[in-house]
């Protein structure tokens, strides 16, 4: 009992980390729901038998699985209930999933879940964000899925880079604590008509991307001020995600932001603004500003995920498309997850795994991702007509092999919310050099 009470004290010191699930999620969580979907476009998919089969994983006959989840809209809530009903009626092991919905609560879902599990609540499985993993792993609350994954055929249906991100979040190379479910992945939005006006094609390399930013900065009336800026640069909150693509494009990394390669990527980011290829407001621009600037025709390109695609098409119709962030000496884009976990305290781990694997690669995967518009992790579901005919989804799927997350550390919430925007703002305005800015960012993240 004393040990449990000591562990509870961890909540006070680490509650801030829970906020990372809002801040590290591909920028789409600035004004959007955590799942990144657009509720007004949701339709509950028809249940069919012609998609990926439920993996044949051993289960406890007749077991009950207690499942806690969040749903951002009434439509998503009903969809999850439909999925639970379908699983309960069709699984061959007599498993019954009991769903308990809890509010996202601005990221408070994770804190409340921690308190519940520490207090001995009967929860077998929960929906998840990678940012919460270190706290739960450090308190021995999550089950290692490795014994199940070793014998599960569905592993190969999910991209290896996604599995790498799941393992990295747990901090152990020999253990996987998180089961993939669905994703939000950043890519580049662009205006085909502006590319045609500039006489350029879609860039396929990082150097071509930088050149495209310059080429699509256009002064149409000759007054010396661009009427179109090449890139909607995000220097304000959430800007660490597109910025990270520039750093990696030069061969840099988050592990050593003071390397020559990382500093070169920072300099590219600075040059886009200081050379006049981004709007004057870029140092403070956040999600709303970059999207508004793109909608108004002020920018030719910007970076976000499928959560913005519906609005883009409403404004531009076919005159908007997307491409994955191009490769340079390195390649990276931000990838936010919504996943699932099984708790170590569960007495029905086999049955729980059958449920989470059904969500990952079974009919539950298709139903949820088609109903919410999020990116499926299952290659089989990705190959379906619903996703193959969407150019924005395709840009996401093509990016999954090099997607990643900002390092998840105790310092990360403050780094994202305060240190990064302040430092980037100073760098863009010429108050500090690229090298000085990267030293500040490195020291603050790894102090």
């Amino acid at each position: 009992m004393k040990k449990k009470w000591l562990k509870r004290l961890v909540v006070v010191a680490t509650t801030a980390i829970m906020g990372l699930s809002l801040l590290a999620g591909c920028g789409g969580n600035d004004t959007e729901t955590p799942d990144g979907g657009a509720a007004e476009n949701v339709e509950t998919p028809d249940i069919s038998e012609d998609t990926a089969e439920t993996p044949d994983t051993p289960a406890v006959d007749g077991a009950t699985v207690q499942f806690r989840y969040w749903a951002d809209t009434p439509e998503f809530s009903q969809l999850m209930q439909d999925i639970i009903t379908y699983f309960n009626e069709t699984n061959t092991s007599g498993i019954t999933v009991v769903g308990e919905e809890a509010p996202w609560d601005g990221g408070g879902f994770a804190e409340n879940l921690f308190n519940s599990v520490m207090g001995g609540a009967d929860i077998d499985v929960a929906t998840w964000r990678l940012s919460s993993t270190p706290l739960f792993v450090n308190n021995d609350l999550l089950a290692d899925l490795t014994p199940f994954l070793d014998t599960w055929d569905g592993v190969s249906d999910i991209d290896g880079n996604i599995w790498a991100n799941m393992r990295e979040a747990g901090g152990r190379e020999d253990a996987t604590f998180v089961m993939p479910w669905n994703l939000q992945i950043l890519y580049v939005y662009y205006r085909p008509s502006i590319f045609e006006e500039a006489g350029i094609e879609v860039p396929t390399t990082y150097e071509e991307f930088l050149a495209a930013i310059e080429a699509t900065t256009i002064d149409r009336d000759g007054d010396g001020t661009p009427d179109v800026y090449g890139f909607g640069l995000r220097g304000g909150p959430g800007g660490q995600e597109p910025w990270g693509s520039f750093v990696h494009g030069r061969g840099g990394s988050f592990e050593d932001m003071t390397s020559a390669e990382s500093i070169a990527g920072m300099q590219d980011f600075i040059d886009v603004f200081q050379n006049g290829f981004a709007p004057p407001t870029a140092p403070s621009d956040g999600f709303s500003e970059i999207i508004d600037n793109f909608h108004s025709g002020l920018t030719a390109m910007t970076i976000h995920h499928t959560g913005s695609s519906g609005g883009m098409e409403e404004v531009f119709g076919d005159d908007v498309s997307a491409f994955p962030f191009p490769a340079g000496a390195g390649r990276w884009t931000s990838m936010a997850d919504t996943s699932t976990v099984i708790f170590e305290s569960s007495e029905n781990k086999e049955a729980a795994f059958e449920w989470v694997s059904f969500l990952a690669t079974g009919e539950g995967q298709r139903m949820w991702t088609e109903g919410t518009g999020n990116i499926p992790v299952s290659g089989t579901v990705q190959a379906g007509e619903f996703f193959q005919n969407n150019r924005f989804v395709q840009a996401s799927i093509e990016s999954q092999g090099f997607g990643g997350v900002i390092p998840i550390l105790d310092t990360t919430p403050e780094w994202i919310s305060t240190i990064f925007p302040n430092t980037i703002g100073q760098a863009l305005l010429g108050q500090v050099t690229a090298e000085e800015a990267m030293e500040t960012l490195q020291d603050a993240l790894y102090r």
Side-chain angles (χ1 to χ4, degrees), residues 14 66 87 96-97 161 184 200 207 261 295 321 336 338 379 404 428:
T14 57
Q66 302 291 337
F87 177 82
T96 299
V97 172
N161 182 57
Q184 300 88 41
I200 62 172
E207 292 288 353
E261 294 81 6
H295 282 177
S321 195
T338 308
L428 294 176

Side-chain angles (χ1 to χ4, degrees), residues 297-351:
L298 185 64
T299 56
M301 289 180 280
T302 199
I303 293 178
H304 202 238
H305 59 61
T306 54
S308 301
S309 61
M312 299 294 192
E313 287 186 301
E314 287 181 12
V315 174
F316 297 115
D318 291 335
D319 189 22
V320 59
S321 195
F323 59 87
F325 195 92
R331 198 179 196 187
W332 182 89
T333 193
S334 181
M335 179 169 69
D337 72 302
T338 308
S339 312
T340 58
V341 292
I342 299 173
F343 294 105
E344 181 61 33
S345 58
S346 171
E347 296 180 357
N348 298 309
K349 292 185 180 66
E350 293 85 356

Side-chain angles (χ1 to χ4, degrees), residues 358-395:
F358 172 81
L359 292 177
T361 62
E363 181 69 2
Q365 167 82 172
R366 184 192 71 82
M367 292 174 67
W368 182 259
T369 54
E370 288 190 11
T372 62
N374 286 336
I375 306 303
V377 297
S378 163
T380 301
V381 176
Q382 290 175 3
E385 183 177 351
F386 182 91
F387 295 104
Q388 288 296 311
N389 292 335
N390 186 307
R391 59 193 182 278
F392 306 110
V393 171
Q394 283 305 299

Side-chain angles (χ1 to χ4, degrees), residues 250-290:
R250 284 294 185 192
S253 70
F254 298 130
E255 287 67 34
D256 185 3
M257 289 179 278
T258 62
S259 71
E261 294 81 6
S262 295
I263 293 170
M266 168 65 96
Q267 189 63 59
D268 289 338
F269 199 71
I270 294 170
D271 289 346
V272 168
F273 176 71
Q274 293 189 351
N275 289 338
F277 305 149
T281 57
S284 60
D285 282 353
F287 168 74
S288 296
E289 290 79 14
I290 65 166

Side-chain angles (χ1 to χ4, degrees), residues 169-193:
R172 285 175 47 187
E173 294 183 359
D174 62 341
T176 301
F177 297 100
V178 184
M179 187 73 159
W181 182 22
N182 58 94
L183 305 169
Q184 300 88 41
I185 307 175
L186 294 193
Y187 50 74
V188 184
Y189 282 102
Y190 77 101
R191 295 283 307 286
S193 63

